[in-house]
Amino acid sequence: MSQAAPIIPVILFAYARPAHLARALACLRENDVLLIYAFADGAKGEADAAAVAETRALLHAVDWCEMHIIEREKNLGLGRNVLAGVSDVALRHDAFIVWEDDLICVPGTYAWLCAALQHYAKDSRVMSVTGWTHPRVTPADVGEQPYFDARAESWVWGSWSRAWHGMNEETAWEKLRVVERHGMPRAAYGADLPQMARVEQRTNLWAVRWLYHHFQHGGLCVRPSWSMVEHTGYDVMASNLPNPIISLDWTNPSWRPAPSLPSKWPEPCEHFQCRAMWRAANPPWRFGLPGRMLGWLQHFWRWKHRP
């Protein structure tokens, strides 16, 4: 009799946005998630204390899965909270899925991610899986099959403790320099990455380090042929002001049901168009003064037209 596969936990990060968290929790429940490690960041002061308390109350009210809640005594900020939280869970579980409170998904997302994590668990060429993609960076010929991209993802993603190893040993900028010494131009996958690597420590980021960690080790990310995930957090409730470079054209088209699980998962090999598509999506001009001004105008428009 075959042994049942271990339950793959979701690592959930929350702070002070109860309305966003409620939507994320509803998606996780609909996806039949059985195990959650929730890292609730601490308040910055009196101004956000009530929202933090309301957020934590939502987590404590969950009775439909096994829930482990880690309440930070102080405010770590997203970057430090994610790095510490994922590292903690990676010591206990071989595989995991990472979720932030402003991410929602369609039914079937968790099952798809778990299947990918189980299939590629022993393949060192694959370092992560994700439920997010976008037409701007999805090759046109992938059809309904998953594909591989050397640029990893930070919006609903999964990985293994083997791939996470070493994430806390170097900063994003140090990893960038290693990658550069091995011949990869620093903006090979978009001009946004070196820009974020420069400010990682000052602005408490984490995702850019994860991306350069993939480049450093020659790892690939499994992406679905269309997105199962959407980001809801670029609004006035965001704990960190959104990068003004993020524009409205990254919103995905109308959702489709989750892709069917492949009858045969593809062999790991990056799609040849990925690098050029990321460069085209994040050109250098967007990170100069004109791009920043456009970003701020878009953010102001969203603020004026918020629900």
Side-chain angles (χ1 to χ4, degrees):
M1 184 176 179
S2 61
Q3 187 176 5
I7 295 173
I8 296 178
V10 165
I11 311 173
L12 176 62
F13 293 94
Y15 166 45
R17 292 187 286 180
H20 291 76
L21 177 62
R23 294 185 67 188
L25 287 171
C27 289
L28 294 172
R29 184 175 189 175
E30 190 175 30
N31 271 264
D32 298 319
V33 173
L34 298 176
L35 175 60
I36 297 176
Y37 290 89
F39 290 86
D41 207 0
K44 296 178 180 177
E46 293 184 5
D48 60 354
V52 167
E54 188 177 350
T55 298
R56 294 180 176 190
L58 284 174
L59 295 172
H60 283 285
V62 170
D63 59 2
W64 42 265
C65 75
E66 181 180 343
M67 172 71 83
H68 300 270
I69 304 172
I70 298 87
E71 297 182 349
R72 304 297 193 192
E73 294 183 7
K74 299 180 180 180
N75 183 269
L76 298 183
L78 182 61
R80 285 188 288 273
N81 198 18
V82 170
L83 289 171
V86 175
S87 297
D88 182 25
V89 177
L91 294 174
R92 313 183 202 184
H93 295 269
D94 291 334
F96 47 83
I97 293 168
V98 180
W99 212 289
E100 294 175 32
D101 61 0
D102 52 11
L103 295 164
I104 56 176
C105 71
V106 298
T109 301
Y110 176 73
W112 193 95
L113 293 170
C114 287
L117 286 167
Q118 290 160 0
H119 182 81
Y120 295 108
K122 304 299 183 183
D123 195 326
S124 61
R125 294 172 293 179
V126 184
M127 290 181 65
S128 65
V129 307
T130 183
W132 187 89
T133 190
H134 191 277
R136 296 176 66 200
V137 292
T138 304
D141 63 352
V142 298
E144 297 191 1
Q145 290 297 304
Y147 70 101
F148 291 91
D149 188 352
R151 175 164 167 156
E153 191 49 60
S154 60
W155 290 353
V156 179
W157 57 277
S159 189
W160 305 267
S161 55
R162 62 165 174 82
W164 186 257
H165 180 73
M167 266 290 287
N168 290 316
E169 295 175 1
E170 298 166 302
T171 66
W173 188 256
E174 290 168 335
K175 289 180 179 293
L176 178 155
R177 298 301 296 272
V178 171
V179 167
E180 207 170 28
R181 286 197 296 270
H182 284 84
M184 179 186 287
R186 61 178 57 180
Y189 284 84
D192 57 326
L193 298 188
Q195 175 75 11
M196 287 189 288
R198 286 190 187 94
V199 300
E200 177 204 25
Q201 299 292 292
R202 176 167 56 84
T203 56
N204 198 4
L205 302 177
W206 71 269
V208 65
R209 186 185 304 187
W210 182 228
L211 273 58
Y212 276 109
H213 189 64
H214 278 63
F215 300 148
Q216 182 181 15
H217 297 283
L220 297 172
C221 175
V222 185
R223 290 188 183 271
S225 47
W226 61 82
S227 189
M228 299 176 270
V229 171
E230 190 55 275
H231 191 284
T232 66
Y234 285 109
D235 56 30
V236 294
M237 295 177 66
S239 58
N240 293 309
L241 184 65
N243 185 332
I245 306 306
I246 299 293
S247 64
L248 300 176
D249 53 11
W250 281 107
T251 301
N252 261 296
S254 299
W255 275 9
R256 300 166 61 180
S260 301
L261 296 181
S263 56
K264 182 180 180 182
W265 288 88
E267 189 71 12
C269 180
E270 184 182 22
H271 194 286
F272 72 95
Q273 293 181 358
C274 287
R275 184 184 290 208
M277 294 185 82
W278 280 111
R279 286 202 307 270
N282 293 288
W285 71 264
R286 295 188 70 186
F287 301 91
L289 181 59
R292 289 197 298 272
M293 291 178 65
L294 177 61
W296 285 114
L297 287 172
Q298 289 171 335
H299 181 72
F300 178 74
W301 185 91
R302 278 194 156 181
W303 180 81
K304 290 288 287 184
H305 295 84
R306 66 192 186 280

